Amino acid sequence: MMRVGRYAMALGWLAAVVILIGCGAGQDRPDPNLSAEAQQGWHAYRALGCGSCHGDQLEGKRSGPALTGITDHWHEETLVTYLKDPAAMIKTTPRLAYRAEQYPIAMPGFVEKADDATLAQIAAYLLAY
């Protein structure tokens, strides 16, 4: 009788851990399947606070769009250019202007906060999903 109780308790703890992992708890490391550059981009994404508008899992929020599946419109070079000065690209790209109108917070530029190598790492991270 005592063994059944211990097994049930162990299974309960295991279920709780699986649920927490599924809900995003424990996501304090980049996906090990990412390239080294994309893993560094994950760290930069977190350090620069990008998740506060776009979500910790790139899922998007009311303040910023989801950043998954962006390879249809972006490649690394244009994404780095955008990250440096979003306002400049928004002025010249109707698709971006339309998207920018849908969110209450303007996308900040990172030219003073991150160098080109860091922005390229962020781009590699975003383009991996």
Side-chain angles (χ1 to χ4, degrees), residues 8 42 60 93:
W42 177 87
T93 311

Side-chain angles (χ1 to χ4, degrees), residues 43-118:
H43 288 288
Y45 178 90
R46 291 177 58 103
L48 291 170
C50 303
S52 64
C53 290
H54 297 286
D56 290 336
Q57 305 299 315
L58 309 176
E59 72 275 12
K61 293 184 171 186
R62 292 184 73 182
S63 52
L67 298 176
T68 55
I70 65 171
T71 57
D72 289 344
H73 297 288
W74 296 97
H75 59 277
E76 185 175 317
E77 183 180 315
T78 56
L79 193 48
V80 168
T81 300
Y82 175 77
L83 293 171
K84 285 182 188 178
D85 187 5
M89 281 189 76
I90 288 169
K91 286 180 186 176
T92 62
T93 311
R95 176 182 62 83
L96 295 177
Y98 174 76
R99 294 284 289 182
E101 291 174 0
Q102 297 176 4
Y103 296 94
I105 300 171
M107 174 71 182
F110 293 99
V111 72
E112 294 178 11
K113 296 178 185 173
D115 60 17
D116 284 1
T118 301

